[in-house]
Amino acid sequence: MCGIFGYTGHKEAQKLVIQGLKRLEYRGYDSSGLAVQDGFQALLVEKTSGKIKNLEALLHRRPLKGRTAIGHTRWATHGVPSRENAHPHLDNGGEIAVVHNGIIENHFDLKETLKAEGAVFRSETDTEVIVHLLAKYYKGNLENALRRSLKDLKGTYAIAAICSKEPGKLVGARRDSPLVVGLGKKENFLASDVSAIVEHTDRVMFLENGEMAVVTKDSARVVDGAGRPVGRKAVKVDWDITQAKKGGYPHFMLKEIFEQPGILTAVLRERLHGAKIRFDELKIAPRAFRKVKRIVIIACGTAYHAGLTAKYVLEELTDIPVWVDTSSEFRYRNPKLGKGTLVIAVSQSGETADTLAGLREAKAKGALTLSVCNVLGSSLSREAQGVLYTHAGPEIAVASTKAYTAQLAVLYLLAFYLAGLFNSLPQKKRKELLREFSRVPFLMQKTLDQYREDEKEWAEKARDFNARYHAQLEKYFSTDPEKRKRSPNGFFLYLGRNINYPNALEGALKLKEISYIPAEGYPAGEMKHGPIALIDENPWVICLAPQSRTYDKMISNIQEIKARGGIVIPIVSEGDSEIHKLQPFYLIRVPKVRELFSPFLTVLPLQLIAYCVAREFGEDIDQPRNLAKSVTVE
Ligand code: F6R
């Protein structure tokens, strides 16, 4: 939620800030702005609503010259997306500028007090109180003013500020929203995450909660709340900037879908050595794992679906019972945890507020905590007792694809690792399964190659759906009672069973996110308990029916849907003997693989269906409306 980028150095700042904000656009993109120190003791500000390209166009016409600047891309929480509410915000005198990611919970009270003291508020945001506090406490030193202001703030924040009276200086602070310092040569950076910095430097310092950063072109200090240096060491990040560019694909989402076989190969190559699994960064000793009696997985959205799949895998390979919960529910229940419970928090960003809160709750209750994260140095990765990185590289499309596969990969390996520790799987079987696991990237690649071959047919089907969908809506909204349908059910239904049930949820989520078409994921066995009432000739029913122990049951489900006129698109294994005989509307084949590993294959067509439909509907695939990649608010 919201991206921050700050620069101070020997280059013109405007271009770098825009570039940095574009990398952070996935964090929010409803408005943006920047403030530049021009070297003549003034701050120049430009901001606007809409995507960063709008800001870029404005700056193209009226460039802001200067070598120190802060910028912001917003995901609105307080106040509509508008120029006034876009950051940076300025104090009355226009001498201090602030950008902020997070929520200031006591902003109403602070605003009243500050207004009574003469502050003039120009926006509806919670953020604006910060800049007026800075002005109130400013006595010639921005660092001190920020330290004092933080004492008055309740809530979450990553803040960056500049002051016209202190040329070349950026100050920043964090509590529960990420902030990173990038260390360059005669230039330094502040940003919400490393993806915005990696094209300039691979040396970064992560701020911890309660810390501040004071950055000039020649120095960067990280200090604690009392202003004492914390001695933070710089770490080297290994993200490659080419990964963050589209590389010839029309959308990041498609590029990231196609990256998945390579990511799984890399994860397996790094972690799987023969039958031995290496988790170098884990930090939890086998001794501690051996005390685990149950596992609770918490996560949100797509990461939650990875957690659900992991439950099937963990329960298949080990004797440990597993519960999975959405973080937002878990944190407000009174979960019974304590010793013997391992809580695994799964998150691409490692910054999801609910998952972070859930992890803290689990720690407070004495559980052993492990995070499975993609973003290096993220809050979850630092706060959990153990961490496993998914190494999927920067995921730019808001709809998560490759992070999901990478999460599955690490969670599967964790299940094998625990099976090894607890001797719950005969060695021979373990080896056999791991050997098959090593083939999965190849099978994923085959699935994607097949899509390339069938791409035209997929596009046609998406066009067909579009036409039917709109015809249906017309009927629904028709003023002619003869034509009017009773309910608009031209939508998608995703059915799966057993280990492919979570993928049914994931397929529906992907479609909803990027095409805004109603979609439901259901365990196929539940159809007869209600959802079958939805079936007529309109819904498109995607049935996950690879070779599995529930294959026959899926055949029955498909027959039931067909009998009611539903449009069925089954996803089956190559060599499928039965389902094609049912003459489905379209049949998608994935390579044959053991049921345990089938989610890696069945998820690919689901991601591609969502992609093709959204493309056909002309939606903004990489940046769907109302969403942000990193949900750092509750
Ligand atoms: C779906 C999606 C979201 C995220 C969810 C959790 O495509 O991207 O549902 O999976 O917001 O985010 P992380 O994994 O960063 O905790």
Side-chain angles (χ1 to χ4, degrees), residues 341-598:
T341 307
L342 168 66
V343 172
I344 307 177
V346 186
S347 171
Q348 188 285 127
S349 62
E351 301 293 347
T352 300
D354 285 322
T355 308
L356 201 50
L359 181 99
R360 287 176 184 154
E361 167 88 6
K363 253 173 112 173
K365 288 189 161 167
L368 179 66
T369 56
L370 169 68
S371 66
V372 173
C373 291
N374 193 35
V375 176
L376 192 91
S378 54
S379 303
L380 271 171
S381 71
R382 285 177 292 117
E383 291 196 25
Q385 283 135 300
V387 58
L388 289 175
Y389 285 114
T390 49
H391 294 316
E395 191 176 59
I396 306 297
V398 165
S400 187
T401 53
K402 64 175 183 172
Y404 179 66
T405 305
Q407 283 159 355
L408 289 185
V410 168
L411 291 165
Y412 270 64
L413 287 172
L414 181 67
F416 279 107
Y417 175 81
L418 294 175
L421 284 185
F422 286 92
N423 281 325
S424 54
L425 200 60
Q427 271 308 318
K428 192 164 161 263
K429 173 97 176 167
R430 187 168 184 272
K431 276 192 185 149
E432 191 184 304
L433 289 176
L434 285 172
R435 211 170 314 125
E436 183 151 356
F437 197 8
S438 314
R439 283 184 57 240
V440 172
F442 165 73
L443 302 178
M444 289 174 81
Q445 189 56 55
K446 256 182 95 178
T447 312
L448 293 174
D449 291 346
Q450 188 61 47
Y451 164 75
R452 281 288 188 221
E453 273 181 37
D454 300 340
E455 217 174 332
K456 279 210 180 96
E457 278 175 42
W458 284 60
E460 262 165 40
K461 297 289 175 229
R463 241 187 325 276
D464 188 11
F465 175 76
N466 190 341
R468 289 178 195 233
Y469 187 73
H470 284 99
Q472 253 247 308
L473 288 183
E474 249 165 55
K475 279 191 202 163
Y476 176 63
F477 291 112
S478 172
T479 45
D480 175 353
E482 287 295 296
K483 278 200 202 154
R484 196 159 59 214
K485 284 262 317 172
R486 282 190 304 274
S487 58
N489 55 351
F491 68 104
F492 271 83
L493 193 59
Y494 291 76
L495 302 179
R497 276 174 180 267
N498 202 8
I499 199 166
N500 274 292
Y501 157 57
N503 267 359
L505 300 180
E506 176 59 9
L509 176 63
K510 282 293 87 82
L511 189 86
K512 279 184 271 204
E513 273 184 295
I514 60 171
S515 69
Y516 322 137
I517 290 165
E520 288 252 33
Y522 247 91
E526 276 289 296
M527 281 298 281
K528 53 190 170 298
H529 300 290
I532 200 160
L534 292 167
I535 304 294
D536 60 9
E537 71 286 4
N538 288 303
W540 287 37
V541 189
I542 315 285
C543 297
L544 299 176
Q547 196 184 51
S548 72
R549 74 189 86 161
T550 51
Y551 177 75
D552 290 341
K553 305 275 176 229
M554 277 308 294
I555 296 181
S556 307
N557 290 131
I558 292 174
Q559 272 166 332
E560 285 156 15
I561 296 159
K562 282 216 66 170
R564 287 156 182 84
I567 298 175
V568 183
I569 304 183
I571 298 175
V572 300
S573 303
E574 266 164 16
D576 170 80
S577 55
E578 297 301 321
I579 292 180
H580 71 275
K581 292 186 204 151
L582 304 177
Q583 298 182 321
F585 176 71
Y586 190 56
L587 189 72
I588 299 172
R589 290 190 174 84
V590 294
K592 219 187 243 173
V593 73
R594 199 184 289 260
E595 182 179 6
L596 182 68
F597 300 114
S598 58

Side-chain angles (χ1 to χ4, degrees), residues 119-407:
V120 178
F121 280 78
R122 298 181 189 91
S123 77
E124 305 155 280
T125 65
D126 52 331
T127 300
E128 201 180 339
V129 297
I130 304 173
V131 77
H132 292 300
L133 278 178
L134 283 172
K136 172 175 168 177
Y137 294 123
Y138 188 77
K139 306 267 178 312
N141 183 319
L142 190 61
E143 177 187 347
N144 291 343
L146 181 58
R147 185 169 304 111
R148 177 61 193 83
S149 302
L150 297 182
K151 290 196 171 64
D152 292 356
L153 298 178
K154 291 204 179 95
T156 60
Y157 50 75
I159 297 170
I162 52 176
C163 175
S164 59
K165 292 183 181 149
E166 296 178 61
K169 189 197 270 184
L170 304 171
V171 298
R174 82 156 273 179
R175 187 198 289 159
D176 289 338
S177 295
L179 197 61
V180 183
V181 180
L183 302 170
K185 286 199 183 104
K186 293 211 175 306
E187 60 182 0
N188 288 313
F189 307 82
L190 265 182
S192 295
D193 83 31
V194 290
S195 67
I197 297 177
V198 281
E199 59 201 287
H200 307 292
T201 176
D202 59 1
R203 290 176 58 237
V204 302
M205 295 192 297
F206 294 102
L207 260 68
E208 300 284 352
N209 274 343
E211 290 180 349
M212 287 177 49
V214 184
V215 180
T216 67
K217 79 177 173 33
D218 300 310
S219 69
R221 269 188 300 129
V222 178
V223 296
D224 67 10
R228 291 178 297 247
V230 298
R232 179 67 26 78
K233 291 217 167 57
V235 294
K236 203 165 168 332
V237 289
D238 60 0
W239 279 11
D240 176 359
I241 188 57
T242 55
Q243 285 180 307
K245 294 188 176 157
K246 277 191 197 150
Y249 286 88
H251 299 98
F252 279 112
M253 184 179 177
L254 192 63
K255 172 181 174 252
E256 289 163 3
I257 291 173
F258 273 80
E259 276 174 6
Q260 293 175 102
I263 289 167
L264 184 57
T265 307
V267 171
L268 294 176
R269 193 174 294 144
E270 181 199 342
R271 306 213 181 255
L272 193 58
H273 299 263
K276 215 171 162 325
I277 290 157
R278 277 181 56 176
F279 287 142
D280 291 345
E281 77 276 34
L282 180 59
K283 292 190 293 194
I284 298 177
R287 186 171 75 250
F289 274 125
R290 283 203 184 90
K291 293 185 188 142
V292 169
K293 298 208 166 26
R294 59 182 198 145
I295 294 176
V296 177
I297 301 178
I298 55 170
C300 301
T302 291
Y304 168 68
H305 300 151
L308 276 180
T309 309
K311 172 184 165 70
Y312 289 86
V313 183
L314 282 157
E315 292 191 342
E316 182 75 24
L317 303 184
T318 75
D319 297 321
I320 312 170
V322 183
W323 284 264
V324 191
D325 218 338
T326 47
S327 314
S328 52
E329 288 301 316
F330 173 85
R331 60 177 294 198
Y332 292 114
R333 287 198 285 112
N334 184 14
K336 303 292 174 266
L337 305 169
K339 298 250 175 294
T341 307
L342 168 66
V343 172
I344 307 177
V346 186
S347 171
Q348 188 285 127
S349 62
E351 301 293 347
T352 300
D354 285 322
T355 308
L356 201 50
L359 181 99
R360 287 176 184 154
E361 167 88 6
K363 253 173 112 173
K365 288 189 161 167
L368 179 66
T369 56
L370 169 68
S371 66
V372 173
C373 291
N374 193 35
V375 176
L376 192 91
S378 54
S379 303
L380 271 171
S381 71
R382 285 177 292 117
E383 291 196 25
Q385 283 135 300
V387 58
L388 289 175
Y389 285 114
T390 49
H391 294 316
E395 191 176 59
I396 306 297
V398 165
S400 187
T401 53
K402 64 175 183 172
Y404 179 66
T405 305
Q407 283 159 355

